[in-house]
Amino acid sequence: MKKITAARLLTACAGALALAAGIVQGGYRDTLSKAVRICLECVGIG
């Protein structure tokens, strides 16, 4: 049981670090601009 909890904690920490690294590098800007472009194309504006 403790091994499973430790594995979950380690996975959560690794995910949080990857998320923080993406934010620091500005990766959210690319994702947001692509999402906006796709939404505008679906509506027919872009």
Side-chain angles (χ1 to χ4, degrees), residues 8-31:
R8 287 180 183 171
L9 182 60
L10 182 62
T11 303
C13 288
L17 286 173
L19 182 65
I23 290 171
V24 169
Q25 292 178 353
Y28 65 93
R29 290 185 199 125
D30 296 333
T31 304

Side-chain angles (χ1 to χ4, degrees), residues 14-44:
L17 286 173
L19 182 65
I23 290 171
V24 169
Q25 292 178 353
Y28 65 93
R29 290 185 199 125
D30 296 333
T31 304
L32 180 63
S33 67
K34 289 177 185 178
V36 168
R37 215 172 305 129
I38 289 172
C39 286
L40 291 176
E41 287 177 5
C42 287
V43 173

